[in-house]
């Protein structure tokens, strides 16, 4: 949504909150524009210190999309939200479910995109975050791979 990273947290909440309000009002919960606005807002909620609420928002968005979108699994916005969901699970007692979900997402992306795509970068970064949350040093290899994919573009 073009919100510069150097703005204050309050300003980012205002801007992303407005984007989420517009997406909700104009398109409805669970739609692609709603999911596109929801993820950065939820990540900001996490950054502000409420990881539990961020996880809840992401889970609610996924449920709404599954109820509303006919082919939700084909939506890049849904898959981004799903990857964030799985990455959050990696820091909980459901870490195995999180890592398994991210590996499935990685295979889905790898089968459909080339090695220098943004989607591949995101898949590697999500795996890196997951393994970092599990305290596994292999996270650095995934983060390095994400960097290499980005550098190849």
């Amino acid at each position: 949504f073009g919100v510069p990273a150097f703005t204050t947290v309050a300003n980012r909440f205002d801007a992303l909150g407005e984007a989420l309000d517009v997406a909700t009002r104009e398109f409805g919960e669970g739609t692609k524009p709603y999911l596109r606005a929801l993820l950065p807002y939820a990540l900001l909620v996490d950054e502000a210190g409420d990881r539990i609420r961020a996880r809840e928002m992401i889970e609610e968005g996924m449920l709404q999309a599954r109820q509303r979108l006919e082919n939700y699994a084909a939506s890049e916005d849904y898959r981004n939200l799903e990857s964030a969901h799985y990455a959050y699970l990696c820091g909980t007692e459901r870490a195995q479910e999180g890592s398994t979900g991210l590996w499935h997402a990685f295979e889905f992306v790898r089968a459909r995109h080339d090695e220098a795509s943004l989607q591949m970068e995101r898949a590697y970064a999500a795996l890196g975050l997951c393994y970092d949350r599990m305290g596994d040093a292999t996270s650095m290899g995934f983060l390095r791979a994400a960097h290499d994919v980005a550098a190849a573009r």
Side-chain angles (χ1 to χ4, degrees), residues 39 58 62 66 72-73 75-89 98 101-102 104-105 108:
L39 183 57
I58 288 171
M62 290 172 56
R66 286 193 298 266
Y72 65 87
S75 164
E76 182 179 336
D77 299 306
Y78 178 84
R79 288 194 319 273
N80 289 339
L81 201 63
E82 184 180 53
S83 290
H85 166 70
Y86 287 133
Y88 276 120
L89 291 183
L102 285 174
H104 288 301
F108 181 90

Side-chain angles (χ1 to χ4, degrees), residues 108-134:
F108 181 90
V109 169
R110 187 165 64 175
R112 289 161 180 78
H113 297 277
D114 67 57
E115 201 52 42
S117 72
L118 177 60
Q119 291 79 9
M120 284 301 296
E121 177 188 344
R122 288 179 177 162
Y124 279 122
L127 282 166
L129 178 60
C130 176
Y131 280 85
D132 181 60
R133 287 182 173 160
M134 293 190 303

Side-chain angles (χ1 to χ4, degrees), residues 3-17 41 44 47:
V3 179
F6 59 86
T7 62
T8 66
V9 172
N11 287 344
R12 284 187 285 159
F13 266 118
D14 288 346
L16 291 172
Y41 189 85
L44 184 59
E47 183 182 323

